[in-house]
Amino acid sequence: MENSEKNKDKLIAHASLMVFVWLYLVPSGIIIARYYKNLLPSFRFLGASFWFNVHRLLMIISLLLIIPAFILILAHENWHWVSPDNRTKYAHSILGIVSIGLLFFQIAIGITIPDKNSSYRSLFSWFHRFSGIFILILSITACYFGVLIDGLKLGDIGWGLILGHNLWMIIFIIVFEANHFKYTRKMYFRANVDDNQTQEPTFGAKEILLIVHLVGSLAFVVALVVMISITLKN
């Protein structure tokens, strides 16, 4: 009985860490890098802008949480890989390990990205951007397969939470994109008029939008983690 409880705890810890990383930390890091490059423009740390430090920190934390999460699920499975006979768990495991491997690769690209003056800078930046989006889609797909695993017994509530989270993300990305387009267009027209006007206000509607998104996204993630814990404990 005690061993069974410990095994459940490993599974809960694995699922909770992965949900937190792939549904919260990684998307938040991408959103900061994409839409908030002008946030706290005067802040510098280690020669880098505020947005870059936040993006880098979130990705490093993600990696540090993924490693124990991966070890925990291996320990739960008695250090054996999932059998292909269980197609849902196998698909989940393959998508998961590919996402983890690509995240390591993505961070390596971020570290080795050429200097701003390099002719390869733009190419690296675009590759880094699109590979990041691809990894996020892959990892969220892995989460869907995780919800499908029979042993978790998440049912309609689990589906509702992960679909609700994704819908929340999509709505806010559309709003972020619209706001980003509007801001970029405004700065383009101002560029030749007054260079001092190219910075956004320190705190405004855009920053409030970010806070609302982060709080709402976290609420979905916490609810899903609680749901996983309750169903596996019963």
Side-chain angles (χ1 to χ4, degrees):
M1 186 70 178
E2 188 178 343
N3 286 336
S4 176
E5 285 300 315
K6 284 182 179 179
N7 243 12
K8 284 183 179 179
D9 289 341
K10 290 173 188 174
L11 186 55
I12 290 170
H14 164 80
S16 300
L17 287 171
M18 289 300 194
V19 164
F20 183 60
V21 167
W22 293 117
L23 298 187
Y24 192 70
L25 292 183
V26 171
S28 298
I30 291 173
I31 285 169
I32 292 290
R34 168 65 177 159
Y35 305 111
Y36 287 88
K37 284 186 170 68
N38 292 306
L39 187 62
L40 300 178
S42 60
F43 179 92
R44 305 288 294 182
F45 181 70
L46 297 176
S49 303
F50 177 78
W51 75 266
F52 184 80
N53 280 292
V54 174
H55 176 73
R56 177 170 53 189
L57 180 63
L58 289 176
M59 293 307 163
I60 290 172
I61 291 173
S62 297
L63 201 58
L64 292 176
L65 292 179
I66 280 174
I67 293 169
F70 179 64
I71 293 171
L72 282 166
I73 198 62
L74 281 179
H76 174 266
E77 298 292 336
N78 294 317
W79 309 102
H80 293 107
W81 200 259
V82 178
S83 171
D85 295 336
N86 189 329
R87 292 184 179 180
T88 303
K89 285 182 74 174
Y90 186 70
H92 173 73
S93 68
I94 294 299
L95 288 171
I97 192 63
V98 171
S99 299
I100 292 170
L102 289 176
L103 183 62
F104 273 93
F105 178 66
Q106 179 76 344
I107 290 175
I109 292 174
I111 293 171
T112 59
I113 195 165
D115 185 78
K116 287 183 179 180
N117 298 320
S118 172
S119 58
Y120 297 103
R121 172 79 177 206
S122 179
L123 180 63
F124 265 76
S125 295
W126 278 103
F127 181 79
H128 186 66
R129 182 180 300 172
F130 282 109
S131 60
I133 293 170
F134 175 73
I135 294 166
L136 181 62
I137 293 171
L138 202 66
S139 62
I140 290 175
T141 305
C143 290
Y144 273 99
F145 275 100
V147 172
L148 280 168
I149 295 172
D150 293 334
L152 291 182
K153 301 175 184 177
L154 294 180
D156 293 339
I157 298 176
W159 274 109
L161 288 171
I162 195 167
L163 285 171
H165 174 273
N166 289 167
L167 183 61
W168 179 272
M169 283 280 298
I170 291 168
I171 290 170
F172 269 85
I173 285 172
I174 292 171
V175 175
F176 282 135
E177 278 295 331
N179 187 72
H180 182 70
F181 175 78
K182 181 182 176 183
Y183 173 74
T184 304
R185 190 179 179 188
K186 181 173 66 177
M187 291 303 103
Y188 174 80
F189 285 116
R190 283 186 179 179
N192 297 321
V193 179
D194 186 355
D195 290 339
N196 294 323
Q197 296 184 38
T198 58
Q199 297 294 346
E200 288 185 306
T202 304
F203 191 86
K206 188 177 178 181
E207 288 68 35
I208 293 172
L209 184 66
L210 176 63
I211 293 170
V212 171
H213 167 70
L214 292 176
V215 171
S217 182
L218 184 61
F220 276 107
V221 168
V222 169
L224 187 55
V225 167
V226 171
M227 181 67 185
I228 290 169
S229 300
I230 291 171
T231 55
L232 285 175
K233 283 292 185 182
N234 291 336

